[in-house]
Amino acid sequence: MVNVGLIGLGTVGTGVARILTGRRDLLARRLGTELVLKRAADLDPERRQAAPLEAARLTANAQDILDDPDIDIVVELIGGTTTARDLILEAVSRDRHVVTANKALLAHHGNEILAAAAQQGVEVAFEAAVCGGVPLILALRQGLAANRIQEMFGILNGTCNYILTRMSQDGMSYAQALAEAQARGYAEADPTLDVEGIDTAHKLAILVSLAYCAPLSLDPISVSGISNLDPLDLQFAREFGYAVKLLAITRNDGETIEARVHPTLIPRDHMLANVNGAFNAVYLTGDAVGPILLYGQGAGMMPTASAVVSDILDLARNLIRGVRRRVPPLGCDGALESPRNIKPLDEVVTNYYFRFAALDRPGVLSQISGILGKHDISIAAVIQKGREVKGAVPIVMITHEAKEANAKQALMEIDRLPIVSPPAVFYRIEDPHLHAAQI
Ligand code: NDP
Ligand code: HSE
């Protein structure tokens, strides 16, 4: 028998409790012995009352889980980076294996936690921390271990993808779509983590570590979210044949690694453009396997619980066989000691979408394109829509590849032109057809 202690009976914890109590036979068949949810803790009495567990096994005090000598695996599902850190470090120091879905904690304190686990010789598993129910961590740690990962494009936040889908397909307002995502249990307790791209950055930090055998690090990841996205840009993007997705992007050129999170225009016929609602996907290229798409529900009670329980089973199997730490948590021995060079955002070369609000006068386009040309930015397509409204007309451009620093410098100069109402809007584009067109 393997005993599990669960801390946090919120959205994900409730799903985990349901699976552990409702599928005992299935799990016992898979494991060869019983997997028992021995105790569960939550601060909220209503959550405890709603849990599928008899009262004697429930507690308000997480310490009761750590103090129970029969518990083999501690599952942290409270979220946050303070109490969760303390609980996990204590569990590790008391020789318990740990499962968590807490990507914020891993991004901020993962190195400390994984070092402590290595020192103690216990496991810390986190399949649910990236892409909810999609077994992406398993794929990176094991299934793709033969590969050098060349690039990854991820839709990693269910809340943002849900909002973008509802806005672009159903014309819903940003606020309404966010409220729906929250009601469905996709959003973080503080939804600014979702909409400002921070949750995606937490997840990207984990993926970069796994892909490139590096310590966890949030600092070098540049981040912008979707909270300021104007529906007008979704429409214009569509006219150019693009969908807008909040993407986590990482690329390895052999010397430096790109790591960035931002709303991105991608061709509407790209597989990622058709990932909708709370679904997540990662499109990655390995040098042996080629391109791979992993796709599934990235948030919500049962998909996330599915991933948490897969970790519990994995650790339980190790316990039964008397095996520890067969696969390193970040997929490489020594990952915590091998920092990588991250390419500064200003050095990144990509394509751009620009929208200017300009006066409808002869010569306006040539002034704008003159500044772009001066900064080595060539225009691939342009549209100007309608006549002047409230003193300005939108001019929208798609560019060929240009350096980020040049794009920013050019936009600063254009914003100073008297014929333009600043600020210019700009988004990055990932479109292999545009690269080919320039050659
Ligand atoms: P919830 O906010 O729904 O649940 C957290 C629960 O933990 C609440 O009931 C909370 O009680 C309780 N809690 C907080 N502190 C303590 C404590 N010290 N002791 C006992 N209970 C405590 O969060 P989620 O289930 O949505 O998320 C849990 C974790 O999973 C987070 O790290 C999140 O980022 C991650 N995650 C969530 C996904 C999702 O789709 N929701 C998907 C993937 C990962 P109270 O409300 O009273 O504070
Ligand atoms: N808030 C997160 C999301 C939960 O919306 O993707 C899953 O990590």
Side-chain angles (χ1 to χ4, degrees), residues 82 168 308 310:
T82 50
S168 56
V308 172
S310 79

Side-chain angles (χ1 to χ4, degrees), residues 7-8 10-12 41-44 47 62 77-79 83 101-103 128 185 188 299-300 304:
I7 308 176
T11 303
V12 184
D42 198 290
L43 295 175
D44 182 343
R47 290 239 160 104
L77 292 172
I78 65 173
T83 308
N102 193 335
K103 56 271 169 168
E188 296 301 302
T304 312

Side-chain angles (χ1 to χ4, degrees), residues 129-393:
V130 187
C131 279
V134 184
L136 172 64
I137 308 283
L138 178 68
L140 285 168
R141 284 174 80 203
Q142 301 198 48
L144 296 168
N147 289 264
R148 285 188 201 89
I149 304 298
Q150 295 168 318
E151 55 182 18
M152 280 197 270
F153 301 93
I155 294 174
L156 306 182
N157 185 271
T159 303
C160 289
N161 206 46
Y162 186 85
I163 293 171
L164 291 173
T165 304
R166 295 294 263 159
M167 284 174 75
S168 56
Q169 292 186 357
D170 308 312
M172 191 178 266
S173 73
Y174 169 85
Q176 229 182 330
L178 171 58
E180 266 195 19
Q182 287 178 291
R184 288 166 180 247
Y186 305 147
E188 296 301 302
D190 171 6
T192 55
L193 290 175
D194 295 292
V195 297
E196 300 304 343
I198 300 161
D199 175 73
T200 302
H202 291 154
K203 292 164 176 168
L204 180 59
I206 296 170
L207 295 187
V208 165
S209 281
L210 284 157
Y212 307 124
C213 297
L216 290 146
S217 179
L218 202 47
D219 297 340
I221 300 178
S222 69
V223 189
S224 53
I226 63 162
S227 61
N228 293 320
L229 199 67
D230 188 325
L232 192 60
D233 295 304
L234 295 178
Q235 269 175 43
F236 279 127
R238 197 182 179 84
E239 288 184 36
F240 279 112
Y242 293 113
V244 180
K245 295 289 182 188
L246 183 71
L247 286 194
I249 299 174
T250 179
R251 264 197 195 96
N252 183 4
D253 65 14
E255 286 175 15
T256 56
I257 287 165
E258 278 179 38
R260 48 196 168 101
V261 172
H262 48 71
T264 313
L265 276 66
I266 51 175
R268 278 160 50 80
D269 61 3
H270 192 284
M271 282 187 273
L272 288 181
N274 297 301
V275 174
N276 289 317
F279 278 77
N280 282 189
V282 170
Y283 182 85
L284 66 84
T285 307
D287 63 350
V289 74
I292 289 230
L293 181 76
L294 291 126
Y295 168 82
Q297 293 190 71
M301 181 184 285
M302 297 316 285
T304 312
S306 157
V308 172
V309 174
S310 79
D311 275 344
I312 296 173
L313 272 176
D314 192 40
L315 299 191
R317 284 186 175 124
N318 287 351
L319 274 165
I320 291 165
R321 304 270 183 290
V323 178
R324 285 185 174 211
R325 299 181 61 83
R326 193 178 64 83
V327 184
L330 295 172
C332 294
D333 275 325
L336 293 179
E337 288 84 44
S338 331
R340 306 278 152 188
N341 286 338
I342 301 284
K343 184 181 276 191
L345 186 61
D346 276 353
E347 298 293 318
V348 167
V349 172
T350 190
N351 303 87
Y352 294 93
Y353 162 104
F354 296 146
R355 174 165 62 82
F356 307 103
L359 296 177
D360 191 10
R361 302 276 186 278
V364 166
L365 256 180
S366 69
Q367 286 189 61
I368 293 175
S369 56
I371 294 177
L372 293 175
K374 195 176 88 183
H375 290 281
D376 243 1
I377 301 169
S378 82
I379 299 165
V382 58
I383 48 178
Q384 178 176 336
K385 274 282 163 161
R387 304 299 296 177
E388 215 168 274
V389 182
K390 290 192 206 148
V393 66

